[in-house]
Amino acid sequence: MKRVLTYVVPAAAAVIVVTIAALEGACNNVGTCPTTDITAGDKCSGDNLQCPYTLQTPSPACDGTMVEGGIATSCICTDETWVCPDPISCDTGDGGGDETATDDGAADAGDDGAGDTGADATID
Amino acid sequence: MRPNRGFQLLFAALVGVATYFLLLPEAGAVPSFSRKYQTSCQTCHTVYPALNPFGEAFRRDGYRFPSKDGSLDSDYEKAAAVELGQEQYKKLFPAAVWPDKILQAMPLSMWLNGSVAVNIPGSEAQAAAGNTFTWGGIEGEMHFFGAGAFNDNLTYMSQLTIDTEGGVDIETAYLLWNDIVGPAHLFNLWVGRLFAPQLTSYGLHSSYLGDTLMPGVSAGALYNPAATFVLGQGHNDGIELNGIAGHRFNYSLGWLASSNSSGLSMPNAEDVYAHVGFKIGGMSLDGEGAGASPKNAEKPWEETSIGLDVFGYHGITRLDNGTGATPTQQDDRFDALGGMIHAQVAGLVAVAGLQVEHHNRPYAGSPATPNPTGGVFNGVPNLASATAIVQYDELEYIIWPWFVPGVRAEYTHADVDGGPSAQLFRIIPGIALLPRPNIRVILSGDIEWARNLPPAGGWDGAGGMVAPTTAGQGLLQAEQITATVGVGF
């Protein structure tokens, strides 16, 4: 009886408590994709939830046209914020976004203006 | 298809292999439990690892001999032990550490196993292997077992596996705390890397013709090759509360670590399961009470009984959905329900089981596409759900304890989002042989029929190789004849 009281009961109680506490926190926040279109930077819920996203972007040919229908890609919920790929930037020397699943959400929102858009002037 | 001469010669070679083992001198060495109790493998096994009714009771009792007339497991132990503390310390507790014991000799045993196959000419098996026969694989794995008891309530089981590629895996390592409180066998707590979650009343490997009694089908892998979880296949980290009531009813409740694809973090432990079962006739589940002894002592494997098990399982698996340049997380939540009937009349054993597994997000997505300005655009995830149904049957007759012919069948049905479902049916006829108590040879065939392929592109997840090429049209194909060899000592 002493063995039961001093060893088994506390152990059983600990198992039950840990089980309840762990089950409360054990469930993974899988999340659900929104029914409306995602907007980059909006709030989201779900650990690393990845949802379809149509990227409206200039054509890679940079001919002034847009990719018809957009590019089918995806956004990932990172730190409760939708992180989505950047459109292709046609500014010289400045690339567009190349989001991957491991991106921490610090990607540029667009052109930062670092490149010249006009021809360089040379002075003879 | 008429077998060609080469095939006939190869088949004769396999028969020769079996004959060679029959003529081997007695190995003269025994595994961990045989050493502990100084008894033969046949005390618990027929063709190992298939367990006889006493062996199943021993396993359910937490690797302890069933009690007879108030006996304890230690009453049957014959191996010398080293006492870890004096018996008097029990009276001094908690001022002293509760005493225990370990065996004087390390309770180790080894099991070597492998297989060779004749890939039927013209089959997918031959196309995949690139050959009809090779001796490669005759030695596939080396297992080290360590098992025993620290006292009459606390036992342990461990298993280290090394494969031919040099991979080392701690397959099993757990403590079994038996008879915690109340009537014998009612409350047991097993903790560690479990041999298998007890979703049925029978041992993981209690099949004569399959590696495991429950089919080794990964429902998730039918939709995504990155999925690896297989229901009931064991070697999971976690904790299980189980017990036997009234000698004839048993239950188990478990909480396990969830699974993840390579390159992704492990999710919170969300895998839980519950199982109940009962057995009528034959030896009782705990080998005690009215059904403690076999009716025929000369044929202890024989009995007349029927058992029924039902289980439920909930879990989550973290998959790489293949949409990125690096592993991309997609958490797939799933639920499974299943059951099994195990019936026996004398030496005729019949098993039938059914399991339904519903997955929330098992599909792989579209692959990433190059970004002209560098890197990639991630692909699009496929968040459709899916359901797979697996039905299995096994029928064998224990003619002699070393000669057991039988046949096993497995049927897998996978529904497909936006398309026709896919089905695979496997027939595995075979003979399980025990040339010596610790040497086994299993000769088996693999005949497969399939209609359509699952979304993953192949039937690997269900152990199948047949690949029908015409949508909606079934394909029947004989794949292999396999000799599986095992030696334990």
Side-chain angles (χ1 to χ4, degrees):
Chain A
M1 188 60 187
K2 178 180 177 182
R3 182 181 177 190
V4 171
L5 290 176
T6 59
Y7 187 44
V8 174
V9 172
V15 168
I16 292 169
V17 168
V18 168
T19 300
I20 293 172
L23 282 173
E24 289 291 326
C27 288
N28 301 279
N29 183 10
V30 173
T32 305
C33 287
T35 53
T36 55
D37 291 342
I38 292 173
T39 301
D42 275 2
K43 284 287 186 186
C44 56
S45 173
D47 300 335
N48 289 296
L49 174 66
Q50 183 186 21
C51 293
Y53 176 70
T54 302
L55 175 65
Q56 302 301 327
T57 178
S59 165
C62 290
D63 55 2
T65 64
M66 299 289 284
V67 173
E68 189 173 340
I71 294 176
T73 180
S74 52
C75 300
I76 296 176
C77 185
T78 308
D79 295 329
E80 299 183 344
T81 302
W82 282 120
V83 175
C84 303
D86 291 330
I88 295 170
S89 172
C90 289
D91 290 337
T92 305
D94 187 24
D98 57 346
E99 302 286 277
T100 67
T102 58
D103 190 284
D104 64 359
D108 292 337
D111 180 16
D112 65 1
D116 291 336
T117 55
D120 288 336
T122 58
I123 300 173
D124 292 347
Chain B
M1 183 177 72
R2 286 178 59 189
N4 57 34
R5 179 165 175 75
F7 171 74
Q8 289 174 323
L9 287 172
L10 286 167
F11 187 78
L14 281 175
V15 173
V17 166
T19 305
Y20 167 74
F21 281 105
L22 281 167
L23 297 177
L24 275 180
E26 191 165 330
V30 287
S32 304
F33 292 127
S34 290
R35 289 189 173 91
K36 177 184 175 184
Y37 301 107
Q38 295 291 292
T39 188
S40 169
C41 310
Q42 269 55 59
T43 299
C44 290
H45 296 279
T46 46
V47 180
Y48 77 86
L51 293 162
N52 61 30
F54 179 86
E56 289 284 4
F58 174 83
R59 182 191 63 79
R60 297 186 199 105
D61 288 349
Y63 303 119
R64 301 177 299 165
F65 262 41
S67 177
K68 189 174 181 181
D69 300 324
S71 68
L72 299 173
D73 178 67
S74 54
D75 293 335
Y76 300 96
E77 190 174 291
K78 294 183 170 62
V82 174
E83 300 293 333
L84 302 181
Q86 301 297 317
E87 188 71 14
Q88 293 82 348
Y89 290 1
K90 293 180 182 178
K91 296 178 183 172
L92 295 174
F93 182 84
V97 178
W98 198 272
D100 233 337
K101 67 172 172 26
I102 56 174
L103 291 179
Q104 197 166 72
M106 185 81 99
L108 289 181
S109 54
M110 183 183 287
W111 182 26
L112 309 174
N113 68 284
S115 65
V116 290
V118 172
N119 301 307
I120 307 296
S123 69
E124 283 298 322
Q126 185 193 43
N131 59 64
T132 301
F133 178 80
T134 172
W135 282 106
I138 185 68
E139 174 42 46
E141 292 176 331
M142 178 182 289
H143 304 263
F144 293 90
F145 291 93
F150 296 130
N151 56 53
D152 284 307
N153 298 92
L154 194 61
T155 58
Y156 58 94
M157 163 69 84
S158 62
Q159 179 185 178
L160 183 76
T161 299
I162 302 173
D163 60 38
T164 51
E165 281 81 46
V168 179
D169 182 25
I170 302 174
E171 282 202 37
T172 307
Y174 67 123
L175 291 178
L176 299 87
W177 185 14
N178 305 294
D179 300 342
I180 297 172
V181 65
H185 307 302
L186 187 57
F187 295 109
N188 312 298
L189 197 67
W190 299 353
V191 184
R193 181 159 296 177
L194 308 179
F195 202 98
Q198 293 197 98
L199 301 185
T200 73
S201 300
Y202 296 86
L204 174 67
H205 294 293
S206 282
S207 166
Y208 289 91
L209 300 175
D211 181 48
T212 55
L213 185 57
M214 286 178 65
V217 175
S218 171
L222 300 177
Y223 301 90
N224 184 335
T228 55
F229 177 81
V230 179
L231 192 64
Q233 293 301 293
H235 312 317
N236 309 93
D237 292 344
I239 188 168
E240 178 179 293
L241 177 72
N242 61 63
I244 299 171
H247 306 299
R248 295 285 174 178
F249 294 88
N250 68 347
Y251 74 92
S252 54
L253 299 168
W255 179 28
L256 306 175
S258 295
S259 54
N260 58 293
S261 296
S262 175
L264 296 172
S265 63
M266 188 176 283
N268 289 327
E270 195 175 311
D271 284 35
V272 292
Y273 60 90
H275 147 256
V276 291
F278 71 86
K279 183 180 180 184
I280 299 171
M283 181 171 287
S284 56
L285 291 172
D286 54 12
E288 298 172 4
S293 300
K295 286 202 178 329
N296 186 346
E298 292 183 3
K299 295 182 177 181
W301 59 86
E302 288 191 353
E303 67 174 24
T304 299
S305 66
I306 187 164
L308 175 66
D309 295 285
V310 292
F311 68 85
Y313 192 109
H314 167 84
I316 193 168
T317 183
R318 180 157 289 170
L319 299 173
D320 171 17
N321 66 11
T323 61
T326 56
T328 306
Q329 175 179 322
Q330 180 169 306
D331 287 349
D332 173 31
R333 205 164 253 150
F334 63 92
D335 296 286
L337 285 174
M340 190 182 81
I341 294 175
H342 184 287
Q344 185 168 349
V345 177
L348 184 67
V349 181
V351 174
L354 175 71
Q355 49 205 55
V356 181
E357 204 171 319
H358 177 78
H359 285 251
N360 177 243
R361 296 170 183 170
Y363 284 85
S366 60
T369 54
N371 181 337
T373 56
V376 298
F377 288 117
N378 273 10
V380 181
N382 182 345
L383 301 180
S385 63
T387 300
I389 298 171
V390 183
Q391 200 282 319
Y392 59 101
D393 309 275
E394 189 165 324
L395 181 70
E396 50 251 341
Y397 186 57
I398 307 169
I399 298 177
W400 298 294
W402 57 271
F403 188 84
V404 183
V407 61
R408 181 178 172 93
E410 294 182 2
Y411 172 74
T412 302
H413 175 105
D415 73 10
V416 178
D417 181 53
S421 61
Q423 299 91 38
L424 171 71
F425 185 60
R426 297 178 67 198
I427 291 279
I428 304 167
I431 303 174
L433 302 162
L434 203 68
R436 292 292 184 272
N438 58 327
I439 299 173
R440 70 157 195 179
V441 178
I442 299 178
L443 299 175
S444 61
D446 182 9
I447 304 167
E448 301 179 6
W449 174 91
R451 178 163 56 208
N452 299 323
L453 292 172
W459 284 106
D460 307 65
M465 288 173 277
V466 65
T469 53
T470 305
Q473 192 169 324
L475 176 64
L476 176 67
Q477 197 172 76
E479 299 293 342
Q480 292 178 321
I481 296 174
T482 304
T484 303
V485 184
V487 179
F489 55 92

